[in-house]
Amino acid sequence: MRRRLFIASSLSAALAGCSAIGTRLNDTRFHDVLNSAEPFDHLVLGTRGLAKEYAEADVDRNFRVNGFETPMDSAYATLMNGSYRAYRLVIDGAVERPRRLSLAQLRGMRLQTNITRHDCVEGWSAIGKFRGVRLSDVLQIAQPRPQARYVVFHCMDRSPEGLPYYESLNMHQASHPQALLVLDLNDRPIDADHGAPLRLRVPTQLGYKSAKWIARIEVVASFATIFSGRGGYWEDQGYEWYAGI
């Protein structure tokens, strides 16, 4: 099957155009399409295949900025002004060895690079060169317990209403070889507007799954009690959780 943005193409057919993502939250047709597509995507596309990788010449050097506003609180400003030297990635929850990893420690691990396409639910795409640590390698350090089923990403950005952004993957998705905790975008350390100091990159799923400004990774048996219990900020607003492409 040719790799394509199944959900986005379905949305296009259903809505006949692309509006701002905030406007779509009130469109019941939008959510009906998302929810009906989820079982089909998971069955037919799954998460075992690899996303297409592109050549250097295909990279969008001015990679589009999207999502919520870059964090502007004093805690983030302090991190940014200190070149993120004080940053620590917290890994806790259902793990044997909770960790607080610095960027230097992450950079000291085996780094991977992939040039893949970011597909946004709003209908646009961009190709970026992403370099970072495999999520699976970081989780292995913390040693998830047998009851671990999901990985929850708690982020530093907030919605216009002040709600914190978060996302989640199941353990199978988190073990995908192209799932990265990104340190560099297009051969430069990732900048604040693109999610510094650390962002997730999951090229087999829609862009809202690739959380930015990650502060903490929580390993859990269930996300039912986290915020509204649907596994992510946008999912709590009615978006599908799987979001596969």
Side-chain angles (χ1 to χ4, degrees):
M1 180 175 181
R2 180 182 175 189
R3 284 193 61 84
R4 60 182 299 177
L5 191 58
F6 172 78
I7 294 173
S9 62
S10 299
L11 288 173
S12 178
L15 304 181
C18 179
S19 60
I21 201 165
T23 304
R24 294 179 178 187
L25 290 175
N26 298 318
D27 194 320
T28 57
R29 294 173 300 165
F30 172 73
H31 299 302
D32 288 344
V33 172
L34 284 178
N35 291 329
S36 66
E38 182 166 358
F40 178 86
D41 278 359
H42 204 289
L43 177 65
V44 176
L45 299 180
T47 55
R48 289 173 167 77
L50 296 177
K52 178 180 178 180
E53 299 210 20
Y54 293 82
E56 289 270 359
D58 298 318
V59 171
D60 293 307
R61 293 297 169 183
N62 295 315
F63 195 86
R64 182 168 175 170
V65 173
N66 73 310
F68 292 153
E69 294 292 331
T70 302
M72 295 295 180
D73 59 278
S74 60
Y76 184 81
T78 299
L79 284 175
M80 183 173 62
N81 292 335
S83 300
Y84 306 105
R85 286 185 294 271
Y87 172 78
R88 297 295 182 270
L89 171 64
V90 176
I91 310 168
D92 62 7
V95 297
E96 296 293 342
R97 302 177 65 187
R99 286 289 180 265
R100 293 173 57 87
L101 300 177
S102 68
L103 290 182
Q105 287 174 304
L106 291 169
R107 286 194 178 275
M109 296 177 63
R110 180 180 59 176
L111 301 184
Q112 304 288 325
T113 300
N114 64 54
I115 299 176
T116 51
R117 191 182 68 203
H118 177 99
D119 289 310
C120 182
V121 71
E122 292 180 292
W124 59 268
S125 298
I127 295 171
K129 183 178 182 180
F130 301 92
R131 185 170 185 259
V133 184
R134 280 184 178 169
L135 175 58
S136 58
D137 289 347
V138 172
L139 292 174
Q140 186 176 17
I141 293 174
Q143 298 180 10
R145 293 174 181 161
Q147 68 267 33
R149 293 187 61 201
Y150 300 98
V151 179
V152 180
F153 303 89
H154 298 273
C155 303
M156 292 180 257
D157 53 327
R158 291 181 173 268
S159 73
E161 299 77 27
L163 298 175
Y165 195 89
Y166 79 106
E167 254 305 339
S168 65
L169 303 173
N170 63 29
M171 297 302 291
H172 172 66
Q173 293 164 328
S175 68
H176 193 280
Q178 291 174 309
L180 300 181
L181 293 173
V182 175
L183 297 162
D184 300 319
L185 173 63
N186 293 351
D187 297 315
R188 300 184 64 181
I190 193 166
D191 61 32
D193 289 340
H194 287 96
L198 195 68
R199 68 170 291 166
L200 179 64
R201 173 65 182 145
V202 189
T204 55
Q205 294 177 272
L206 286 169
Y208 62 84
K209 302 296 290 189
S210 292
K212 299 188 285 293
W213 302 293
I214 296 173
R216 175 189 176 205
I217 298 176
E218 182 184 11
V219 180
V220 299
S222 170
F223 50 64
T225 60
I226 299 175
F227 298 107
S228 295
R230 300 189 66 177
Y233 171 83
W234 286 115
E235 290 87 332
D236 288 344
Q237 318 307 314
Y239 283 49
E240 68 157 357
W241 174 80
Y242 175 62
I245 55 176

